[in-house]
Every structure is written in structure tokens, then in C-alpha cells.
Amino acid sequence: MESLIAAVREQDEAARFLAWPGDFDLDRGDHVEEVHLASGAALDGFAGDGAGGTYFFCGEGGEDRPILYADSEGGAALVAIGLLELLRLLLVAPWWRDCEAFTDEEGRELAAAYLDDMPDLVARRDRAAAALCLDLPARADVLARLREVAVRLGEDFVLIFTPEGHPYEPLIRN
């Protein structure tokens, strides 16, 4: 299978959607603060957002590694197991950072707000997914999976602000 990172770089339609509204940029992999995982596992920044947040691959391996997102305000969460899962999240719910309850009802409301601003959002998303040859799960499934990954699996991925030894705050709570 081709690298998904390479595919995103090669597919303008996908890269544009992921850049906005996904707020995901493969050229912003450097985090502004020195951080490490409490477990001591490897942490590799590979993408970021416009507000200074960073996506990190955790541990050793390829694009199927767990992915932790750290914002610029001291919050972090495990958001996906592998790049494929992250891309599906960003395509289906690019507004995921605005979620509080991660319910389908909340997802419908956030999606409606985005659609008000971008009436062509669904068409753009579908073209981006097609360019990457990705099938897209239902919004409710994506949000449930995000919550499961962050809350259940994420407890093993605690991000530490290295200079002070303090953990980042969880972005997603029970």
C-alpha cells in the first residue's frame, strides 16, 4: 500500500480539504514546546494545524502507529490508531476539536454550522475521499471511535511538557 502521507501530498483535492476545513498541514510537524510521552515511547511530529497544534506518531513503526494530537494550550489526546483512521476523522468530522460530548446530535449541529459556511463541504469531502481511495464511515461511528480511542486507549499516551515535567490536560474526558 502506498504511503497515505505521500498520497495526500500528491492529491491536491485531498490536500486542500485536509488543509481546510480539516486544519491539517503536513508541513507543520514541529511542536512549539519540548514534549515527550510519559512511557518513554518515541514521539514524531508529522503534521500540525493553524493554531499551533501538532499531530504526533507514537512509538515505532509506520503510518499505522497511534496518533496523539497536542494543542498549543496544553491539551492533548490520542485521536486515532493509524493515519487511515485520522484521515477518516478529518474528512467526516473536521470540526472534531469543537466537540464536547461526541454525540451524533452534537455532530449534526456542528456539521450544520460548517455547511452554513461551506455549502459545498460534502461534495469537497467526497472528492477528497475518492482521491485517496477511502471509504467513509458514518459520523456517529467516527465520533464514537474518537471517544473510545481518547478515553480508553489514550490513558497509555500521556504527553509531558518536558521542561517542567507536567502532563498536558486531556482534551477528551469521560
Side-chain angles (χ1 to χ4, degrees):
M1 177 185 188
E2 178 186 13
S3 158
L4 281 172
I5 288 176
V8 169
R9 289 190 189 282
E10 293 169 4
Q11 297 296 329
D12 290 340
E13 189 80 38
R16 279 193 305 272
F17 185 92
L18 291 169
W20 191 254
D23 201 11
F24 176 84
D25 184 347
L26 287 170
D27 294 327
R28 294 183 181 217
D30 294 330
H31 197 59
V32 295
E33 299 175 329
E34 185 181 349
V35 294
H36 68 275
L37 286 173
S39 68
L43 193 64
D44 300 315
F46 70 95
D49 64 25
T54 307
Y55 291 92
F56 296 94
F57 282 120
C58 302
E60 302 296 328
E63 293 178 356
D64 59 342
R65 292 179 281 173
I67 297 173
L68 183 128
Y69 170 78
D71 67 19
S72 61
E73 305 296 319
L78 192 68
V79 294
I81 305 300
L83 187 57
L84 176 61
E85 190 170 272
L86 176 65
L87 293 179
R88 285 181 173 146
L89 168 66
L90 295 171
L91 289 166
V92 173
W95 33 258
W96 70 269
R97 289 177 210 86
D98 297 327
C99 286
E100 292 179 14
F102 297 92
T103 63
D104 192 41
E105 180 180 341
E106 180 184 42
R108 274 193 306 275
E109 292 170 5
L110 289 167
Y114 268 63
L115 282 167
D116 284 346
D117 290 338
M118 289 177 271
D120 65 339
L121 177 75
V122 173
R124 288 183 56 225
R125 178 206 62 201
D126 290 348
R127 288 192 305 267
L132 296 172
C133 299
L134 299 181
D135 59 314
L136 297 178
R139 177 183 51 239
D141 295 340
V142 167
L143 293 176
R145 177 63 178 160
L146 172 59
R147 185 169 180 72
E148 175 189 17
V149 167
V151 173
R152 245 184 20 132
L153 305 175
E155 61 192 24
D156 294 330
F157 295 87
V158 176
L159 190 65
I160 305 294
F161 177 50
T162 302
E164 296 178 9
H166 298 296
Y168 272 51
E169 291 294 319
L171 286 174
I172 301 170
R173 299 178 188 272
N174 263 335

